[in-house]
Amino acid sequence: MSASGLPKTAAVLGPDGLQALIAALAARGMEVIGPVERDGAIVLDRIAGIADLPAGRTDRQEAGSYRLADRDDGALFGYAVGPQSWKRFLHRPVETLFRVRRIGQELAFEPPRETPPRTAFLGVRACELAAIAIQDRVLLGGAYVNTEYAARRAQTFLVAVNCGDPAATCFCTSHDTGPRAHSGYDVALTELLVDGRHEFLAEPGSDSGAALLAYLPTRPATAADWAAAAAVAARAAANMHRRMPSEGLKETLQAHPEHPRWEDVGQRCLACANCTMVCPTCFCTTIEDHSELDGLGAERVRRWDSCFAGDFSYVHGGAVRTQTRSRYRQWMTHKLAHWWDQYGTSGCVGCGRCIAWCPVGIDIAAEAAAFVESSKREEDAHGIA
Amino acid sequence: MARPRLAVIKFASCDGCQLSLLDCEDELLAVAGAVEIANFPEASRAVHPGPYDVTLVEGSITTEHDAARIRAVRDETAVLITIGACATSGGIQALRNFADVGEMVRAVYARPDFISTLATSTPISAHVKVDYELRGCPIDKGQLLELVSALLAGRRPVLPSHSVCVECKLASRVCVMVAHGTPCLGPVTHAGCGALCPGYHRGCYGCFGPAETTNTATLAAQWQALGASRRDIHRAFRTFNAASEPFCREADAHG
Ligand code: SF4
Ligand code: SF4
Ligand code: SF4
């Protein structure tokens, strides 16, 4: 029994139950955001009901390529993660921090923040829950709290969906962040398509999640439902073939800042910054000040920045990282190595976005593997243990 | 404090960038309130002599006469800003740099002997010191207003030199290269347009010229993997910023 006295037992709902779930969230004053098909991809946007979900659609993802395709089982969540992550709703791409007006000799500061609307995210994958937990740690966990993120995060209700059909770019099993959600959600759904039935196993993860489920048309979950859900997760894990090396990766990356592999990848990389923009854990921003023509008004804006941009490492006199190889090294060593020292976790959750959405298909998992492999060869050759 | 005196001077160009200034309908009164428009023939017949505090220069240098005129413009202004691809990199007319101008003149004009022109179209920076450059064919009016208001406030203008891809992602666009297989110049192109073309399912045309870091060779190889021919690649790099060094080099490699 939970603190509220509600039983935290799983329930099973049909498509009408899912429709009722969306309606119930809306009735509680929440804006519901979920997956929708647009411009040849599955993106995240406002949804009014299950009719907005990409029914019977799936994705085929490879390094540098993403295509939608049909599937014949009518699944509502039969695809992996798309180009956008939930980062764009919590840690927004562009955010006005304050506006200021000069009135006579006085400066009047106007914080633009009202309380953000209550928002429900529907269809959050396990890797994305892990990414949100990482951003919570980075943006809320230290001495300097990102107040805009904090305000939005406090208003967020998370409906997870366990993955049944990972993309070829996925590798959450390497980081133990999926394909099944273990924590950090209010409700977790597993889509069950067995024997011609279309249902969802719904597990509450919080008191408010349990309260919501109690309100919906459901039936109790049986042992067969649990077995079907376990089979979905097992199939997803078995279909995931990409791997990020873990053994010795941090130490190897940190020990070889001048490894020739950096130049090699630097030759292939465009320094376009797409990887950092799509990564659900990348959090870097810059601050821009704008003023109005009349000299009476100004505003301060925060926007996503990237370690691939030259201006990112600009200090008086010039940029520190002028070469693409040093920018790629910064991104990869921070994400996969220094992040451990800084936050006690890897900065990668294995979502595969940076692989699919790199216009030239640079693959962070393959780069890491090649790096470990060639450093090992080098050490063997030099007799280093 | 007296309002800064502004001049807008034209060289070889189509006037599109000056039109972007006139296109600032909502902000035009504020601009006119903040600066004294002393010399802007496209907007007003009242032309007041220099010196000026700020001069916006449109167009490239294609004649001996203009090469002398830009030096006089520089002498008359405190701050010189080039607006658009012509003034910043030589413009579409820099295609002459890769051809025989005499032949072109004979093909186009009934009396070629009346035409006195240089063999090349060159950016303003090849002739005089430039203080700020606004990219684009045409420029983005938001960037123009940003630069003018920054100068008025004495602050640094916000004109990032990263790729169009960053703007594309900030605007939540779906990448046309990855999701549709459409060749796009965004990864090597300077930001400023807000990723306009990808928003209409088109690849970026490179109007804003090279970004701060450009790996055109790797991008060209990916274009080829997507089915673009050598000629497609040559032509894509040989447009409004044909004479900018990275684009010129890549076009040559596929010539
Ligand atoms: S580094 Fe790549 S795979 Fe890892 S979390 Fe970021 S986008 Fe996903
Ligand atoms: S790794 Fe790919 S997406 Fe990232 S900056 Fe390089 S080319 Fe762009
Ligand atoms: S559509 Fe073009 S500009 Fe946008 S991310 Fe893709 S490659 Fe970059």
Side-chain angles (χ1 to χ4, degrees):
Chain A
M1 298 287 272
S2 66
S4 65
L6 287 162
K8 281 201 171 180
T9 47
V12 174
L13 37 105
D16 56 331
L18 184 61
Q19 177 70 31
L21 183 147
I22 296 169
L25 293 169
R28 287 161 198 223
M30 292 190 223
E31 209 175 278
V32 185
I33 317 247
V36 298
E37 182 175 339
R38 192 208 304 143
D39 297 338
I42 290 166
V43 300
L44 303 172
D45 209 341
R46 284 187 80 144
I47 56 166
I50 58 171
D52 293 331
L53 298 173
R57 298 290 270 163
T58 191
D59 49 19
R60 307 244 186 279
Q61 304 194 39
E62 296 293 343
S65 168
Y66 177 105
R67 293 291 183 282
L68 290 179
D70 286 327
R71 52 189 297 142
D72 53 18
D73 59 3
L76 294 176
F77 298 99
Y79 38 83
V81 294
Q84 303 166 353
S85 75
W86 303 94
K87 173 171 92 168
R88 72 174 314 98
F89 299 101
L90 292 170
H91 180 44
R92 299 190 66 91
V94 180
E95 181 134 61
T96 301
L97 298 178
F98 62 78
R99 294 197 171 82
V100 55
R101 293 227 39 102
R102 186 161 65 199
I103 302 163
Q105 291 306 306
E106 300 288 309
L107 290 183
F109 286 85
E110 308 163 23
R113 299 163 212 144
E114 310 104 42
T115 310
R118 296 181 68 199
T119 307
F121 296 168
L122 174 70
V124 185
R125 306 299 178 150
C127 62
E128 304 186 294
L129 290 171
I132 291 171
I134 288 175
Q135 290 220 320
D136 285 354
R137 165 68 190 85
V138 173
L139 300 172
L140 306 177
Y144 305 101
V145 167
N146 180 321
T147 47
E148 294 74 24
Y149 180 92
R152 292 214 179 81
R153 189 67 182 88
Q155 297 281 45
T156 309
F157 186 93
L158 297 175
V159 182
V161 169
N162 291 320
C163 279
D165 208 349
T169 39
C170 294
F171 56 101
C172 61
T173 45
S174 296
H175 290 295
D176 205 17
T177 50
R180 197 176 148 67
H182 292 295
S183 61
Y185 55 81
D186 292 294
V187 173
L189 303 174
T190 307
E191 188 165 29
L192 305 176
L193 291 143
V194 238
D195 304 332
R197 288 181 296 128
H198 191 179
E199 291 178 316
F200 300 89
L201 177 76
E203 299 166 65
S206 69
D207 289 346
S208 47
L212 179 77
L213 287 184
Y215 172 87
L216 302 177
T218 60
R219 65 170 175 80
T222 64
D225 297 321
W226 283 107
V232 168
R235 189 183 67 218
N239 284 337
M240 217 172 305
H241 304 299
R242 206 173 224 91
R243 284 207 58 74
M244 170 70 81
S246 52
E247 198 60 34
L249 178 61
K250 172 181 185 291
E251 296 70 24
T252 307
L253 289 172
Q254 289 179 331
H256 295 95
E258 300 302 335
H259 196 284
R261 187 81 195 175
W262 297 125
E263 179 57 24
D264 180 275
V265 69
Q267 292 293 328
R268 286 176 281 130
C269 173
L270 305 169
C272 65
N274 274 302
C275 47
T276 52
M277 298 282 126
V278 296
C279 179
T281 70
C282 275
F283 54 81
C284 285
T285 54
T286 186
I287 295 291
E288 296 175 347
D289 286 338
H290 301 281
S291 52
E292 286 166 24
L293 286 163
D294 63 10
L296 299 177
E299 63 173 7
R300 175 159 292 181
V301 170
R302 179 172 63 209
R303 77 155 167 84
W304 289 354
D305 203 352
S306 171
C307 47
F308 283 94
D311 287 346
F312 185 80
S313 67
Y314 186 92
V315 289
H316 65 285
V320 173
R321 298 186 201 105
T322 55
Q323 306 281 317
T324 300
R325 63 155 187 258
S326 49
R327 298 183 197 170
Y328 192 92
R329 180 180 59 192
Q330 164 64 28
W331 136 260
M332 190 155 134
T333 54
H334 186 217
K335 186 127 301 222
L336 302 179
H338 309 317
W339 211 295
W340 285 102
D341 300 327
Q342 213 176 344
Y343 304 117
T345 167
S346 170
C348 176
V349 297
C351 74
R353 283 190 182 87
C354 59
I355 302 172
W357 297 96
C358 170
V360 291
I362 293 175
D363 176 345
I364 190 171
E367 290 306 318
F371 200 91
V372 170
E373 196 41 51
S374 64
S375 324
K376 217 190 284 156
R377 270 204 311 272
E378 213 170 86
E379 285 169 11
D380 289 348
H382 292 82
I384 307 167
Chain B
M1 195 184 79
R3 289 176 305 161
R5 305 184 75 227
L6 177 87
V8 183
I9 311 277
K10 173 186 158 68
F11 290 85
S13 58
C14 76
D15 288 36
C17 290
Q18 298 187 55
L19 278 176
S20 302
L21 180 54
L22 292 173
D23 194 31
C24 297
E25 286 163 5
D26 296 339
E27 300 87 358
L28 205 52
L29 281 177
V31 173
V35 299
E36 180 198 338
I37 299 179
N39 180 355
F40 186 6
E42 181 139 332
S44 161
R45 261 179 294 176
V47 172
H48 303 285
Y52 310 108
D53 297 297
V54 179
T55 300
L56 304 178
V57 175
E58 181 195 81
S60 67
I61 303 301
T62 55
T63 63
E64 281 296 355
H65 173 244
D66 277 356
R69 190 159 64 95
I70 187 60
R71 288 192 289 276
V73 167
R74 176 71 263 189
D75 288 344
E76 280 213 306
T77 190
V79 174
L80 190 155
I81 301 169
T82 60
I83 56 170
C86 299
T88 304
S89 78
I92 190 83
Q93 59 274 26
L95 290 176
R96 70 164 66 185
N97 302 9
F98 314 102
D100 180 344
V101 175
E103 206 174 287
M104 284 178 169
V105 168
R106 284 189 294 280
V108 172
Y109 296 100
R111 291 292 306 273
D113 51 313
F114 283 7
I115 305 295
S116 150
T117 188
L118 294 169
T120 55
S121 167
T122 42
I124 301 303
S125 61
H127 301 265
V128 296
K129 175 175 169 287
V130 171
D131 299 296
Y132 296 95
E133 291 183 334
L134 282 182
R135 306 290 198 89
C137 183
I139 54 166
D140 174 80
K141 76 168 194 180
Q143 287 210 322
L144 178 62
L145 291 169
E146 164 63 22
L147 179 52
V148 172
S149 30
L151 286 175
L152 289 168
R155 67 175 168 87
R156 212 167 73 119
V158 179
L159 301 169
S161 59
H162 54 58
S163 70
V164 171
C165 296
V166 172
E167 298 188 299
C168 200
K169 287 292 182 285
L170 293 178
S172 274
R173 309 226 192 285
V174 172
C175 174
V176 300
M177 193 129 149
V178 169
H180 311 164
T182 303
C184 179
L185 284 180
V188 296
T189 300
H190 194 287
C193 67
L196 210 51
C197 292
Y200 291 93
H201 302 177
R202 306 299 296 262
C204 165
Y205 291 92
C207 310
F208 279 62
E212 156 272 333
T213 298
T214 49
N215 185 346
T216 52
T218 298
L219 183 66
Q222 186 70 9
W223 273 46
Q224 264 171 326
L226 295 175
S229 66
R230 283 172 59 80
R231 181 179 149 86
D232 293 337
I233 296 168
H234 174 79
R235 296 188 70 139
F237 283 104
R238 204 143 266 185
T239 60
F240 328 101
N241 294 282
S244 67
E245 198 272 332
F247 284 11
C248 175
R249 197 169 15 87
E250 200 54 42
D252 283 345
H254 301 268

